[in-house]
Amino acid sequence: MNQLNYAWRLLATGFCFVTFSVGALVLGAVVFPALYLTPAHTRARRARKIICHTFGMFLQLMQLVGVLKLEITGGHTLKAHPGALVLANHPTLIDVVALISLMPNANCVVKQALWDNFFMGGVVRAANYISNDEPELLIQACAEGMQQGNPLMIFPEGTRSVQGKPLKFRRGTAYIAMHGKMPVIPVLIKCTPPTLTKGAKWYKIPPEKAFLQIRVLDPIFIYQWAKPGDPPAIAARQVTKRLEHYFTEALSTHGSTTSGDQATHHQVA
């Protein structure tokens, strides 16, 4: 029975990956081109809303076929603070899909390679996400987006977390947080057993269905972590260390995101 369950989840995982790729291609080649007939100032917002709903449907599919169980706590906080900087640890590939599905107008920083990706290029361009190819313009673009009321999602590690190793945040996140002067919403993500981790192949699935837990915490304000008058480099170093400490402590305290009736369950029976 266990072998049959494993075989089914392996097949279902492959099916989900194909569905995601084909869906992204259809959005980029068929759906989003029609948005260019709409006013430019609303184009990206509409594209992001479509991506949000599409990602939500994809998560429902993953749960329906038995690949994933998902639980979200405090998701309403993300919608209650437009323009916030959303920071999360990044244990698994599916994290970005789960978070964007909770924010209809989320902005995010993406690798330049995705702009030219056969499957994702059209999606990234339509949503007008921020490319990481010009670091000197990145911070300003992020700050302007938040000040316009668009939440910005960033994984401070810059890549997926490595299980068993301490969190190591990149300093660029601190510069964005200080420049944007918006509240920071921490998000804790846990996946048990681990799956789709850094360097793992899609077919290396766990022995049992993965349980993805997402806990959205109350906003914090990082201005208190930098001394007035400190040079930007020193302030960024201090804020980065405090963020690392905050997330390390929070992940240790909230080892599980389960919290009774405050949790929002997205599992499909």
Side-chain angles (χ1 to χ4, degrees):
M1 187 66 179
N2 289 337
Q3 290 181 340
L4 182 61
N5 178 269
Y6 182 89
W8 167 255
R9 287 189 297 106
L10 180 60
L11 179 64
T13 299
F15 172 73
C16 287
F17 266 85
V18 171
T19 300
F20 185 90
S21 298
V22 173
L25 190 60
V26 170
L27 284 177
V30 179
V31 178
F32 289 153
L35 292 180
Y36 285 90
L37 300 176
T38 64
H41 67 279
T42 63
R43 191 179 303 148
R45 182 178 293 271
R46 291 180 180 180
R48 293 173 187 176
K49 189 172 183 179
I50 292 173
I51 293 170
C52 171
H53 290 306
T54 304
F55 279 6
M57 293 170 60
F58 178 72
L59 289 171
Q60 291 180 351
L61 172 66
M62 293 188 74
Q63 295 171 88
L64 182 64
V65 298
V67 171
L68 181 75
K69 176 183 176 182
L70 176 63
E71 181 183 270
I72 299 172
T73 305
H76 62 280
T77 302
L78 296 174
K79 297 179 180 179
H81 296 275
L85 176 59
V86 180
L87 303 183
N89 62 308
H90 192 14
T92 179
L93 184 63
I94 203 68
D95 302 337
V96 62
V97 176
L99 287 179
I100 288 181
S101 75
L102 299 174
M103 296 181 286
N105 193 36
N107 197 0
C108 59
V109 178
V110 300
K111 296 179 180 179
Q112 175 60 28
L114 280 181
W115 288 74
D116 302 316
N117 183 275
F118 179 73
F119 293 101
M120 293 298 299
V123 174
V124 171
R125 288 191 294 271
N128 197 28
Y129 290 145
I130 301 171
S131 172
N132 68 350
D133 68 330
E134 297 185 57
E136 64 277 6
L137 301 177
L138 176 63
I139 295 174
Q140 182 65 28
C142 290
E144 289 177 356
M146 289 187 289
Q147 290 163 3
Q148 292 169 4
N150 305 319
L152 176 67
M153 184 189 69
I154 291 182
F155 297 110
E157 295 168 277
T159 185
R160 272 171 280 176
S161 312
V162 178
Q163 189 178 11
K165 291 189 176 182
L167 298 177
K168 186 66 175 177
F169 289 175
R170 295 188 176 182
R171 203 170 297 175
T173 299
Y175 282 110
I176 293 172
M178 293 187 300
H179 196 74
K181 299 179 181 179
M182 301 299 286
V184 171
I185 299 181
V187 180
L188 309 180
I189 303 176
K190 179 183 179 183
C191 187
T192 311
T195 186
L196 299 176
T197 55
K198 184 177 176 63
K201 303 297 184 182
W202 71 266
Y203 51 82
K204 297 292 184 180
I205 66 173
E208 59 187 58
K209 177 167 49 176
F211 183 19
L212 184 64
Q213 297 172 280
I214 297 178
R215 185 185 189 97
V216 183
L217 304 183
D218 292 333
I220 58 176
F221 296 88
I222 57 89
Y223 65 84
Q224 57 188 331
W225 293 345
K227 296 179 181 179
D230 275 350
I234 294 177
R237 187 183 306 121
Q238 181 67 18
V239 169
T240 300
K241 289 181 179 179
R242 293 296 298 269
L243 282 172
E244 288 176 348
H245 178 75
Y246 180 92
F247 269 83
T248 299
E249 289 294 312
L251 286 167
S252 176
T253 302
H254 303 288
S256 170
T257 63
T258 304
S259 62
D261 57 8
Q262 293 182 352
T264 301
H265 295 270
H266 291 254
Q267 182 183 10
V268 178

